[in-house]
Amino acid sequence: MAGGLLGAAAFSTMTFAAEEPRLVPAALQDVAAGSGPQTAVFAGGCFWGTQGVFQHVDGVISATAGYAGGSAGTASYGLVETGSTGHAEAVQVVFDPRKVSYGQLMRIFFSVAHDPTQVDRQGADVGRQYRSAIFPMNDEQAKSASDYIGQLDQSKVFKTKMATTVETGKTFYKAEAYHQNFMEANPTQPYIALTERPKVGNLQRFFPQFYRDQAVLVAD
């Protein structure tokens, strides 16, 4: 993470070409609610911030930081951070579709959780492990995600083409305990305070109907 490498003063002076957070249009094609909880997996840069955003979404039952895109044998922080394992830092979101749908989670993901136009990076975090990706759990999610990316590209919501990939058939692996609930546990850490915590403020601003003040935390 950039936050582990840079002090607050140094980080605050760095600039990166990034799209501003914005409320993107809703997905035209959503996933049926069905019965019982559903699972989604998203990757958009450092998982501290992505997890922190989804932990404040009403209807989310759990949001767990981890790795997706590579094998079980390389699903550890030390190896993933080399950028050579195929993994992305990801978040597994278990949600109640009666309260928040898959399409609505994608809308939050694209609006406030990250910049979906950056290729293999998010700001100061550079490498394949920081790519923008969705890891569908089934064919319906895969189609909904692909259709939504196409919809947003066609509507030219962003200045440049979206970089988000849809990667099917990938397993999610839970990250080490010290990565869980990192935003909530470290609110004044420079990287969190300057880069990640503002995303929760944007969630509250753009999606007041889905925002909850109390984060749902990963249990020890």
Side-chain angles (χ1 to χ4, degrees), residues 47 66-68 70-89 129 173-176 178-179:
F47 49 22
Y67 314 105
S71 67
T74 57
S76 65
Y77 184 69
L79 292 175
V80 170
E81 291 312 288
T82 66
S84 62
T85 67
H87 289 287
E89 290 195 10
Q129 69 272 31
Y173 304 97
K174 185 178 179 180
E176 297 82 353
Y178 63 88
H179 285 302

Side-chain angles (χ1 to χ4, degrees), residues 41 66-72 75 86-88 90 92 135-137 167-174:
V41 178
Y67 314 105
S71 67
H87 289 287
Q92 181 187 70
F135 298 92
M137 296 293 100
E167 304 180 31
T168 60
K170 304 296 183 180
T171 301
F172 175 85
Y173 304 97
K174 185 178 179 180

Side-chain angles (χ1 to χ4, degrees), residues 5-209:
L5 302 175
L6 300 169
F11 188 82
S12 64
T13 62
M14 300 181 72
T15 58
F16 307 94
E19 294 273 2
E20 290 295 320
R22 70 196 62 195
L23 180 61
V24 304
L28 296 177
Q29 296 289 87
D30 208 335
V31 171
S35 60
Q38 295 180 8
T39 300
V41 178
F42 302 101
C46 174
F47 49 22
W48 295 341
T50 309
Q51 180 189 45
V53 167
F54 284 118
Q55 286 180 321
H56 283 275
V57 174
D58 190 28
V60 168
I61 298 167
S62 66
T64 305
Y67 314 105
S71 67
T74 57
S76 65
Y77 184 69
L79 292 175
V80 170
E81 291 312 288
T82 66
S84 62
T85 67
H87 289 287
E89 290 195 10
V91 175
Q92 181 187 70
V93 180
V94 179
F95 62 100
D96 182 348
R98 298 170 301 176
K99 294 183 177 181
V100 60
S101 71
Y102 185 73
Q104 289 162 339
L105 290 175
M106 288 195 295
R107 190 184 189 194
I108 290 169
F109 177 62
F110 289 132
S111 295
V112 303
H114 79 309
D115 176 359
T117 69
Q118 293 198 20
V119 179
D120 293 344
R121 74 177 301 160
Q122 284 292 303
D125 293 323
V126 181
R128 284 285 292 156
Q129 69 272 31
Y130 299 115
R131 69 188 181 273
S132 174
I134 295 176
F135 298 92
M137 296 293 100
N138 52 51
D139 291 342
E140 191 177 10
Q141 285 189 2
K143 185 178 188 310
S144 181
S146 295
D147 287 350
Y148 194 23
I149 292 168
Q151 173 193 332
L152 295 179
D153 270 336
Q154 187 173 17
S155 63
K156 300 188 184 301
V157 173
F158 299 101
K159 296 176 184 177
T160 58
K161 187 176 176 64
M162 293 174 65
T164 310
T165 56
V166 178
E167 304 180 31
T168 60
K170 304 296 183 180
T171 301
F172 175 85
Y173 304 97
K174 185 178 179 180
E176 297 82 353
Y178 63 88
H179 285 302
Q180 306 301 333
N181 310 321
F182 196 91
M183 181 187 290
E184 294 299 314
N186 301 275
T188 62
Q189 198 257 20
Y191 180 77
I192 293 296
L194 293 169
T195 303
E196 304 293 68
R197 189 70 194 182
K199 297 175 181 179
V200 177
N202 288 327
L203 171 68
Q204 184 177 15
R205 179 160 61 102
F206 292 149
F207 299 96
Q209 72 275 34

